[in-house]
PDB file of all heavy atoms in Angstrom:
ATOM      1  N   ALA A   2      87.025 118.543 101.739  1.00 94.00           N
ATOM      2  CA  ALA A   2      86.878 117.961 103.081  1.00 94.00           C
ATOM      3  C   ALA A   2      86.015 116.708 102.969  1.00 94.00           C
ATOM      4  O   ALA A   2      84.968 116.716 102.309  1.00 94.00           O
ATOM      5  CB  ALA A   2      86.230 118.963 104.024  1.00 94.00           C
ATOM      6  N   ALA A   3      86.470 115.649 103.633  1.00 95.00           N
ATOM      7  CA  ALA A   3      85.719 114.388 103.605  1.00 95.00           C
ATOM      8  C   ALA A   3      84.505 114.478 104.530  1.00 95.00           C
ATOM      9  O   ALA A   3      84.499 115.241 105.497  1.00 95.00           O
ATOM     10  CB  ALA A   3      86.625 113.242 104.035  1.00 95.00           C
ATOM     11  N   PRO A   4      83.456 113.693 104.263  1.00 95.00           N
ATOM     12  CA  PRO A   4      82.299 113.665 105.164  1.00 95.00           C
ATOM     13  C   PRO A   4      82.703 113.126 106.539  1.00 95.00           C
ATOM     14  O   PRO A   4      83.719 112.428 106.675  1.00 95.00           O
ATOM     15  CB  PRO A   4      81.331 112.702 104.467  1.00 95.00           C
ATOM     16  CG  PRO A   4      81.815 112.594 103.048  1.00 95.00           C
ATOM     17  CD  PRO A   4      83.284 112.801 103.102  1.00 95.00           C
ATOM     18  N   ASP A   5      81.912 113.427 107.549  1.00 96.00           N
ATOM     19  CA  ASP A   5      82.167 112.918 108.895  1.00 96.00           C
ATOM     20  C   ASP A   5      82.206 111.394 108.881  1.00 96.00           C
ATOM     21  O   ASP A   5      81.393 110.740 108.225  1.00 96.00           O
ATOM     22  CB  ASP A   5      81.058 113.371 109.852  1.00 96.00           C
ATOM     23  CG  ASP A   5      81.135 114.866 110.147  1.00 96.00           C
ATOM     24  OD1 ASP A   5      82.203 115.459 109.875  1.00 96.00           O
ATOM     25  OD2 ASP A   5      80.125 115.436 110.626  1.00 96.00           O
ATOM     26  N   GLY A   6      83.164 110.855 109.625  1.00 95.00           N
ATOM     27  CA  GLY A   6      83.267 109.403 109.732  1.00 95.00           C
ATOM     28  C   GLY A   6      84.176 108.775 108.695  1.00 95.00           C
ATOM     29  O   GLY A   6      84.500 107.586 108.782  1.00 95.00           O
ATOM     30  N   PHE A   7      84.585 109.560 107.687  1.00 97.00           N
ATOM     31  CA  PHE A   7      85.444 109.015 106.618  1.00 97.00           C
ATOM     32  C   PHE A   7      86.908 109.320 106.904  1.00 97.00           C
ATOM     33  O   PHE A   7      87.252 110.408 107.377  1.00 97.00           O
ATOM     34  CB  PHE A   7      85.064 109.621 105.263  1.00 97.00           C
ATOM     35  CG  PHE A   7      83.864 108.962 104.633  1.00 97.00           C
ATOM     36  CD1 PHE A   7      82.577 109.241 105.090  1.00 97.00           C
ATOM     37  CD2 PHE A   7      84.026 108.060 103.591  1.00 97.00           C
ATOM     38  CE1 PHE A   7      81.472 108.640 104.512  1.00 97.00           C
ATOM     39  CE2 PHE A   7      82.922 107.450 103.012  1.00 97.00           C
ATOM     40  CZ  PHE A   7      81.646 107.730 103.468  1.00 97.00           C
ATOM     41  N   THR A   8      87.765 108.372 106.604  1.00 97.00           N
ATOM     42  CA  THR A   8      89.210 108.553 106.722  1.00 97.00           C
ATOM     43  C   THR A   8      89.768 108.973 105.373  1.00 97.00           C
ATOM     44  O   THR A   8      89.486 108.330 104.351  1.00 97.00           O
ATOM     45  CB  THR A   8      89.893 107.232 107.147  1.00 97.00           C
ATOM     46  OG1 THR A   8      89.326 106.795 108.385  1.00 97.00           O
ATOM     47  CG2 THR A   8      91.391 107.406 107.294  1.00 97.00           C
ATOM     48  N   VAL A   9      90.535 110.072 105.354  1.00 96.00           N
ATOM     49  CA  VAL A   9      91.190 110.506 104.122  1.00 96.00           C
ATOM     50  C   VAL A   9      92.405 109.613 103.876  1.00 96.00           C
ATOM     51  O   VAL A   9      93.276 109.489 104.739  1.00 96.00           O
ATOM     52  CB  VAL A   9      91.616 111.990 104.202  1.00 96.00           C
ATOM     53  CG1 VAL A   9      92.352 112.403 102.931  1.00 96.00           C
ATOM     54  CG2 VAL A   9      90.401 112.877 104.429  1.00 96.00           C
ATOM     55  N   LEU A  10      92.462 108.996 102.691  1.00 97.00           N
ATOM     56  CA  LEU A  10      93.505 108.003 102.416  1.00 97.00           C
ATOM     57  C   LEU A  10      94.623 108.528 101.524  1.00 97.00           C
ATOM     58  O   LEU A  10      95.746 108.029 101.579  1.00 97.00           O
ATOM     59  CB  LEU A  10      92.889 106.772 101.740  1.00 97.00           C
ATOM     60  CG  LEU A  10      91.735 106.071 102.471  1.00 97.00           C
ATOM     61  CD1 LEU A  10      91.234 104.905 101.640  1.00 97.00           C
ATOM     62  CD2 LEU A  10      92.182 105.590 103.855  1.00 97.00           C
ATOM     63  N   ALA A  11      94.330 109.519 100.654  1.00 96.00           N
ATOM     64  CA  ALA A  11      95.339 109.942  99.682  1.00 96.00           C
ATOM     65  C   ALA A  11      95.081 111.377  99.244  1.00 96.00           C
ATOM     66  O   ALA A  11      93.974 111.904  99.386  1.00 96.00           O
ATOM     67  CB  ALA A  11      95.321 109.023  98.467  1.00 96.00           C
ATOM     68  N   SER A  12      96.133 112.003  98.707  1.00 94.00           N
ATOM     69  CA  SER A  12      96.016 113.370  98.191  1.00 94.00           C
ATOM     70  C   SER A  12      96.961 113.535  97.003  1.00 94.00           C
ATOM     71  O   SER A  12      97.841 112.704  96.761  1.00 94.00           O
ATOM     72  CB  SER A  12      96.371 114.384  99.285  1.00 94.00           C
ATOM     73  OG  SER A  12      97.743 114.254  99.637  1.00 94.00           O
ATOM     74  N   THR A  13      96.752 114.632  96.270  1.00 92.00           N
ATOM     75  CA  THR A  13      97.693 115.017  95.215  1.00 92.00           C
ATOM     76  C   THR A  13      98.090 116.463  95.485  1.00 92.00           C
ATOM     77  O   THR A  13      97.633 117.073  96.460  1.00 92.00           O
ATOM     78  CB  THR A  13      97.052 114.924  93.816  1.00 92.00           C
ATOM     79  OG1 THR A  13      96.093 115.974  93.675  1.00 92.00           O
ATOM     80  CG2 THR A  13      96.372 113.581  93.596  1.00 92.00           C
ATOM     81  N   ASP A  14      98.899 117.038  94.602  1.00 89.00           N
ATOM     82  CA  ASP A  14      99.370 118.407  94.807  1.00 89.00           C
ATOM     83  C   ASP A  14      98.214 119.393  94.879  1.00 89.00           C
ATOM     84  O   ASP A  14      98.291 120.403  95.588  1.00 89.00           O
ATOM     85  CB  ASP A  14     100.325 118.821  93.677  1.00 89.00           C
ATOM     86  CG  ASP A  14     101.676 118.128  93.814  1.00 89.00           C
ATOM     87  OD1 ASP A  14     101.947 117.577  94.906  1.00 89.00           O
ATOM     88  OD2 ASP A  14     102.445 118.120  92.832  1.00 89.00           O
ATOM     89  N   VAL A  15      97.123 119.145  94.130  1.00 87.00           N
ATOM     90  CA  VAL A  15      96.027 120.120  94.111  1.00 87.00           C
ATOM     91  C   VAL A  15      94.724 119.573  94.694  1.00 87.00           C
ATOM     92  O   VAL A  15      93.760 120.316  94.830  1.00 87.00           O
ATOM     93  CB  VAL A  15      95.758 120.630  92.666  1.00 87.00           C
ATOM     94  CG1 VAL A  15      96.984 121.305  92.098  1.00 87.00           C
ATOM     95  CG2 VAL A  15      95.280 119.518  91.760  1.00 87.00           C
ATOM     96  N   THR A  16      94.709 118.293  95.039  1.00 91.00           N
ATOM     97  CA  THR A  16      93.487 117.687  95.579  1.00 91.00           C
ATOM     98  C   THR A  16      93.764 117.145  96.981  1.00 91.00           C
ATOM     99  O   THR A  16      94.413 116.103  97.124  1.00 91.00           O
ATOM    100  CB  THR A  16      92.995 116.537  94.672  1.00 91.00           C
ATOM    101  OG1 THR A  16      92.802 117.048  93.349  1.00 91.00           O
ATOM    102  CG2 THR A  16      91.697 115.939  95.172  1.00 91.00           C
ATOM    103  N   PRO A  17      93.302 117.836  98.028  1.00 93.00           N
ATOM    104  CA  PRO A  17      93.605 117.395  99.394  1.00 93.00           C
ATOM    105  C   PRO A  17      92.947 116.059  99.743  1.00 93.00           C
ATOM    106  O   PRO A  17      93.489 115.290 100.544  1.00 93.00           O
ATOM    107  CB  PRO A  17      93.068 118.528 100.266  1.00 93.00           C
ATOM    108  CG  PRO A  17      92.090 119.269  99.425  1.00 93.00           C
ATOM    109  CD  PRO A  17      92.548 119.114  98.014  1.00 93.00           C
ATOM    110  N   VAL A  18      91.776 115.792  99.180  1.00 95.00           N
ATOM    111  CA  VAL A  18      91.089 114.527  99.457  1.00 95.00           C
ATOM    112  C   VAL A  18      90.928 113.788  98.125  1.00 95.00           C
ATOM    113  O   VAL A  18      90.009 114.045  97.349  1.00 95.00           O
ATOM    114  CB  VAL A  18      89.702 114.761 100.102  1.00 95.00           C
ATOM    115  CG1 VAL A  18      89.038 113.428 100.422  1.00 95.00           C
ATOM    116  CG2 VAL A  18      89.836 115.609 101.358  1.00 95.00           C
ATOM    117  N   ALA A  19      91.851 112.866  97.840  1.00 94.00           N
ATOM    118  CA  ALA A  19      91.813 112.121  96.578  1.00 94.00           C
ATOM    119  C   ALA A  19      91.254 110.715  96.765  1.00 94.00           C
ATOM    120  O   ALA A  19      90.960 110.022  95.785  1.00 94.00           O
ATOM    121  CB  ALA A  19      93.212 112.051  95.972  1.00 94.00           C
ATOM    122  N   ALA A  20      91.099 110.283  98.015  1.00 97.00           N
ATOM    123  CA  ALA A  20      90.501 108.971  98.304  1.00 97.00           C
ATOM    124  C   ALA A  20      90.053 108.971  99.761  1.00 97.00           C
ATOM    125  O   ALA A  20      90.689 109.603 100.614  1.00 97.00           O
ATOM    126  CB  ALA A  20      91.504 107.844  98.065  1.00 97.00           C
ATOM    127  N   PHE A  21      88.932 108.280 100.027  1.00 97.00           N
ATOM    128  CA  PHE A  21      88.483 108.148 101.418  1.00 97.00           C
ATOM    129  C   PHE A  21      87.723 106.834 101.601  1.00 97.00           C
ATOM    130  O   PHE A  21      87.358 106.172 100.624  1.00 97.00           O
ATOM    131  CB  PHE A  21      87.654 109.354 101.884  1.00 97.00           C
ATOM    132  CG  PHE A  21      86.407 109.671 101.073  1.00 97.00           C
ATOM    133  CD1 PHE A  21      85.547 108.689 100.589  1.00 97.00           C
ATOM    134  CD2 PHE A  21      86.056 111.007 100.832  1.00 97.00           C
ATOM    135  CE1 PHE A  21      84.386 108.996  99.886  1.00 97.00           C
ATOM    136  CE2 PHE A  21      84.896 111.326 100.120  1.00 97.00           C
ATOM    137  CZ  PHE A  21      84.067 110.310  99.649  1.00 97.00           C
ATOM    138  N   GLU A  22      87.502 106.477 102.865  1.00 97.00           N
ATOM    139  CA  GLU A  22      86.710 105.273 103.159  1.00 97.00           C
ATOM    140  C   GLU A  22      86.073 105.384 104.535  1.00 97.00           C
ATOM    141  O   GLU A  22      86.569 106.095 105.416  1.00 97.00           O
ATOM    142  CB  GLU A  22      87.590 104.006 103.087  1.00 97.00           C
ATOM    143  CG  GLU A  22      88.587 103.875 104.240  1.00 97.00           C
ATOM    144  CD  GLU A  22      89.440 102.605 104.155  1.00 97.00           C
ATOM    145  OE1 GLU A  22      89.484 101.994 103.072  1.00 97.00           O
ATOM    146  OE2 GLU A  22      90.069 102.248 105.175  1.00 97.00           O
ATOM    147  N   ASP A  23      84.955 104.684 104.677  1.00 97.00           N
ATOM    148  CA  ASP A  23      84.319 104.467 105.973  1.00 97.00           C
ATOM    149  C   ASP A  23      83.924 102.993 105.978  1.00 97.00           C
ATOM    150  O   ASP A  23      82.851 102.617 105.504  1.00 97.00           O
ATOM    151  CB  ASP A  23      83.093 105.370 106.128  1.00 97.00           C
ATOM    152  CG  ASP A  23      82.408 105.188 107.486  1.00 97.00           C
ATOM    153  OD1 ASP A  23      82.702 104.175 108.182  1.00 97.00           O
ATOM    154  OD2 ASP A  23      81.550 106.024 107.850  1.00 97.00           O
ATOM    155  N   THR A  24      84.809 102.150 106.485  1.00 97.00           N
ATOM    156  CA  THR A  24      84.585 100.703 106.397  1.00 97.00           C
ATOM    157  C   THR A  24      83.397 100.255 107.248  1.00 97.00           C
ATOM    158  O   THR A  24      82.767  99.243 106.939  1.00 97.00           O
ATOM    159  CB  THR A  24      85.848  99.928 106.812  1.00 97.00           C
ATOM    160  OG1 THR A  24      86.275 100.386 108.105  1.00 97.00           O
ATOM    161  CG2 THR A  24      86.978 100.142 105.816  1.00 97.00           C
ATOM    162  N   ALA A  25      83.071 101.013 108.308  1.00 96.00           N
ATOM    163  CA  ALA A  25      81.914 100.648 109.134  1.00 96.00           C
ATOM    164  C   ALA A  25      80.630 100.713 108.314  1.00 96.00           C
ATOM    165  O   ALA A  25      79.730  99.878 108.463  1.00 96.00           O
ATOM    166  CB  ALA A  25      81.828 101.570 110.346  1.00 96.00           C
ATOM    167  N   ARG A  26      80.546 101.726 107.440  1.00 96.00           N
ATOM    168  CA  ARG A  26      79.363 101.862 106.577  1.00 96.00           C
ATOM    169  C   ARG A  26      79.586 101.232 105.197  1.00 96.00           C
ATOM    170  O   ARG A  26      78.743 101.335 104.326  1.00 96.00           O
ATOM    171  CB  ARG A  26      78.997 103.350 106.427  1.00 96.00           C
ATOM    172  CG  ARG A  26      78.314 103.914 107.658  1.00 96.00           C
ATOM    173  CD  ARG A  26      77.759 105.315 107.379  1.00 96.00           C
ATOM    174  NE  ARG A  26      78.808 106.337 107.429  1.00 96.00           N
ATOM    175  CZ  ARG A  26      78.611 107.633 107.162  1.00 96.00           C
ATOM    176  NH1 ARG A  26      77.401 108.045 106.791  1.00 96.00           N
ATOM    177  NH2 ARG A  26      79.597 108.494 107.250  1.00 96.00           N
ATOM    178  N   ARG A  27      80.756 100.621 105.017  1.00 97.00           N
ATOM    179  CA  ARG A  27      81.110  99.929 103.770  1.00 97.00           C
ATOM    180  C   ARG A  27      81.019 100.873 102.560  1.00 97.00           C
ATOM    181  O   ARG A  27      80.415 100.571 101.552  1.00 97.00           O
ATOM    182  CB  ARG A  27      80.248  98.681 103.551  1.00 97.00           C
ATOM    183  CG  ARG A  27      80.445  97.626 104.641  1.00 97.00           C
ATOM    184  CD  ARG A  27      79.758  96.333 104.298  1.00 97.00           C
ATOM    185  NE  ARG A  27      78.308  96.497 104.228  1.00 97.00           N
ATOM    186  CZ  ARG A  27      77.476  95.588 103.738  1.00 97.00           C
ATOM    187  NH1 ARG A  27      77.948  94.449 103.270  1.00 97.00           N
ATOM    188  NH2 ARG A  27      76.171  95.813 103.729  1.00 97.00           N
ATOM    189  N   MET A  28      81.645 102.045 102.724  1.00 97.00           N
ATOM    190  CA  MET A  28      81.683 103.025 101.638  1.00 97.00           C
ATOM    191  C   MET A  28      83.116 103.504 101.412  1.00 97.00           C
ATOM    192  O   MET A  28      83.906 103.594 102.358  1.00 97.00           O
ATOM    193  CB  MET A  28      80.809 104.235 101.970  1.00 97.00           C
ATOM    194  CG  MET A  28      79.335 103.935 101.991  1.00 97.00           C
ATOM    195  SD  MET A  28      78.403 105.465 102.157  1.00 97.00           S
ATOM    196  CE  MET A  28      76.817 104.801 102.630  1.00 97.00           C
ATOM    197  N   ALA A  29      83.419 103.796 100.145  1.00 97.00           N
ATOM    198  CA  ALA A  29      84.757 104.289  99.800  1.00 97.00           C
ATOM    199  C   ALA A  29      84.689 104.979  98.449  1.00 97.00           C
ATOM    200  O   ALA A  29      83.693 104.870  97.726  1.00 97.00           O
ATOM    201  CB  ALA A  29      85.758 103.133  99.752  1.00 97.00           C
ATOM    202  N   GLY A  30      85.748 105.711  98.126  1.00 96.00           N
ATOM    203  CA  GLY A  30      85.784 106.366  96.822  1.00 96.00           C
ATOM    204  C   GLY A  30      87.168 106.894  96.515  1.00 96.00           C
ATOM    205  O   GLY A  30      88.000 107.066  97.407  1.00 96.00           O
ATOM    206  N   VAL A  31      87.407 107.122  95.215  1.00 96.00           N
ATOM    207  CA  VAL A  31      88.681 107.696  94.761  1.00 96.00           C
ATOM    208  C   VAL A  31      88.382 108.757  93.707  1.00 96.00           C
ATOM    209  O   VAL A  31      87.409 108.644  92.953  1.00 96.00           O
ATOM    210  CB  VAL A  31      89.627 106.625  94.166  1.00 96.00           C
ATOM    211  CG1 VAL A  31      90.115 105.663  95.252  1.00 96.00           C
ATOM    212  CG2 VAL A  31      88.960 105.845  93.032  1.00 96.00           C
ATOM    213  N   GLN A  32      89.210 109.778  93.646  1.00 93.00           N
ATOM    214  CA  GLN A  32      89.025 110.835  92.660  1.00 93.00           C
ATOM    215  C   GLN A  32      89.464 110.372  91.268  1.00 93.00           C
ATOM    216  O   GLN A  32      89.024 110.906  90.259  1.00 93.00           O
ATOM    217  CB  GLN A  32      89.826 112.078  93.079  1.00 93.00           C
ATOM    218  CG  GLN A  32      89.734 113.250  92.127  1.00 93.00           C
ATOM    219  CD  GLN A  32      88.302 113.739  91.953  1.00 93.00           C
ATOM    220  OE1 GLN A  32      87.716 114.312  92.857  1.00 93.00           O
ATOM    221  NE2 GLN A  32      87.716 113.495  90.779  1.00 93.00           N
ATOM    222  N   TRP A  33      90.302 109.356  91.212  1.00 92.00           N
ATOM    223  CA  TRP A  33      90.849 108.925  89.921  1.00 92.00           C
ATOM    224  C   TRP A  33      89.997 107.821  89.280  1.00 92.00           C
ATOM    225  O   TRP A  33      88.956 107.433  89.778  1.00 92.00           O
ATOM    226  CB  TRP A  33      92.296 108.501  90.085  1.00 92.00           C
ATOM    227  CG  TRP A  33      92.571 107.359  91.037  1.00 92.00           C
ATOM    228  CD1 TRP A  33      92.541 106.026  90.756  1.00 92.00           C
ATOM    229  CD2 TRP A  33      92.953 107.458  92.416  1.00 92.00           C
ATOM    230  NE1 TRP A  33      92.881 105.291  91.861  1.00 92.00           N
ATOM    231  CE2 TRP A  33      93.145 106.133  92.891  1.00 92.00           C
ATOM    232  CE3 TRP A  33      93.168 108.521  93.298  1.00 92.00           C
ATOM    233  CZ2 TRP A  33      93.530 105.849  94.211  1.00 92.00           C
ATOM    234  CZ3 TRP A  33      93.547 108.236  94.600  1.00 92.00           C
ATOM    235  CH2 TRP A  33      93.723 106.924  95.052  1.00 92.00           C
ATOM    236  N   HIS A  34      90.492 107.334  88.143  1.00 92.00           N
ATOM    237  CA  HIS A  34      89.816 106.257  87.402  1.00 92.00           C
ATOM    238  C   HIS A  34      90.587 104.951  87.607  1.00 92.00           C
ATOM    239  O   HIS A  34      91.530 104.665  86.861  1.00 92.00           O
ATOM    240  CB  HIS A  34      89.768 106.588  85.901  1.00 92.00           C
ATOM    241  CG  HIS A  34      88.789 107.662  85.555  1.00 92.00           C
ATOM    242  ND1 HIS A  34      87.452 107.412  85.361  1.00 92.00           N
ATOM    243  CD2 HIS A  34      88.947 108.994  85.369  1.00 92.00           C
ATOM    244  CE1 HIS A  34      86.829 108.535  85.060  1.00 92.00           C
ATOM    245  NE2 HIS A  34      87.705 109.517  85.072  1.00 92.00           N
ATOM    246  N   PRO A  35      90.198 104.118  88.553  1.00 94.00           N
ATOM    247  CA  PRO A  35      90.934 102.870  88.770  1.00 94.00           C
ATOM    248  C   PRO A  35      90.730 101.849  87.653  1.00 94.00           C
ATOM    249  O   PRO A  35      91.487 100.892  87.533  1.00 94.00           O
ATOM    250  CB  PRO A  35      90.353 102.348  90.097  1.00 94.00           C
ATOM    251  CG  PRO A  35      88.999 102.958  90.188  1.00 94.00           C
ATOM    252  CD  PRO A  35      89.094 104.289  89.510  1.00 94.00           C
ATOM    253  N   GLU A  36      89.697 102.075  86.821  1.00 91.00           N
ATOM    254  CA  GLU A  36      89.362 101.077  85.802  1.00 91.00           C
ATOM    255  C   GLU A  36      90.246 101.135  84.563  1.00 91.00           C
ATOM    256  O   GLU A  36      90.304 100.176  83.782  1.00 91.00           O
ATOM    257  CB  GLU A  36      87.886 101.221  85.388  1.00 91.00           C
ATOM    258  CG  GLU A  36      87.544 102.412  84.518  1.00 91.00           C
ATOM    259  CD  GLU A  36      87.315 103.710  85.293  1.00 91.00           C
ATOM    260  OE1 GLU A  36      87.733 103.803  86.467  1.00 91.00           O
ATOM    261  OE2 GLU A  36      86.720 104.636  84.714  1.00 91.00           O
ATOM    262  N   VAL A  37      90.945 102.281  84.336  1.00 85.00           N
ATOM    263  CA  VAL A  37      91.747 102.400  83.112  1.00 85.00           C
ATOM    264  C   VAL A  37      93.158 101.869  83.338  1.00 85.00           C
ATOM    265  O   VAL A  37      93.689 101.906  84.454  1.00 85.00           O
ATOM    266  CB  VAL A  37      91.803 103.864  82.606  1.00 85.00           C
ATOM    267  CG1 VAL A  37      90.406 104.403  82.338  1.00 85.00           C
ATOM    268  CG2 VAL A  37      92.547 104.759  83.574  1.00 85.00           C
TER     269      VAL A  37
END
């Protein structure tokens, strides 16, 4: 479950929250490795 105020952006078969963001607080994250 994402924290309050965050929008869930993506999921996978086993991960319901694979990415989220709260642009008002300028925060975001992804479960994967975007750098590789």
Side-chain angles (χ1 to χ4, degrees):
D5 289 343
F7 279 77
T8 302
V9 177
L10 304 179
S12 65
T13 71
D14 287 345
V15 300
T16 304
V18 182
F21 58 41
E22 71 179 16
D23 181 345
T24 53
R26 284 190 281 177
R27 297 189 296 169
M28 292 188 196
V31 292
Q32 179 60 70
W33 60 87
H34 287 277
E36 74 277 18
V37 302

